[in-house]
Amino acid sequence: MMDCLFCKIVRQEIPARVLKENKHALAFRDINPQAPTHVLVIPKKHVASLEEATPSDAALLGEVLFLASEVARDEKITSGYRLVLNTGSGAGQSVFHIHVHVLGGRPLSWPPG
Ligand code: DGP
């Protein structure tokens, strides 16, 4: 997807503070952090949202979750962390390339807003 913001980050056409990556997923700091740790983990392949994912993306989504857990461990978020995957504009998704927010380093209330 040539005009997708996160695809441009994958292709290093725009800068990002990358923390970690594996063959299929990339983790970088959110530009507008909502917590002391706020990292986005994305599949390198363009998938617009969880609604667009197919059974063939199941392993890819597993790679994203596993990288998110590695990031949380590296960030030493010892009191716990939260993964958020906004799906659809009604849930606050603004970038239509699947991304998991890794949030931690402060108390996180429940339920989320
Ligand atoms: P969401 O609302 O769930 O679609 O989250 C999109 C997130 O993407 C939001 O927290 C801000 C972040 N973001 C938007 N543009 C950029 C960017 O250019 N670089 C980085 N690092 N993050 C971005």
Side-chain angles (χ1 to χ4, degrees):
M1 287 288 285
M2 295 313 290
D3 57 351
C4 168
L5 178 65
F6 288 173
C7 285
K8 288 180 181 174
I9 288 177
V10 171
R11 295 195 299 266
Q12 300 183 356
E13 291 171 9
I14 62 173
R17 294 169 65 197
V18 171
L19 298 180
K20 214 171 178 73
E21 66 183 303
N22 62 32
K23 190 173 173 197
H24 299 290
L26 180 71
F28 53 93
R29 294 204 188 276
D30 194 291
I31 205 167
N32 182 25
Q34 302 300 311
T37 290
H38 188 171
V39 175
L40 302 175
V41 186
I42 66 171
K44 291 182 176 176
K45 170 191 164 189
H46 182 83
V47 183
S49 84
L50 205 52
E51 278 295 292
E52 308 291 326
T54 68
S56 67
D57 295 316
L60 180 64
L61 294 173
E63 294 280 355
V64 169
L65 286 184
F66 189 71
L67 189 61
S69 75
E70 290 186 324
V71 165
R73 210 168 300 128
D74 290 353
E75 291 284 297
K76 300 185 173 30
I77 316 172
T78 49
S79 61
Y81 61 91
R82 182 170 296 164
L83 304 185
V84 174
L85 204 173
N86 295 325
T87 302
S89 54
Q93 184 177 6
S94 61
V95 178
F96 283 80
H97 180 132
I98 285 182
H99 50 282
V100 171
H101 298 256
V102 183
L103 294 155
R106 66 166 170 81
L108 297 166
S109 61
W110 189 263

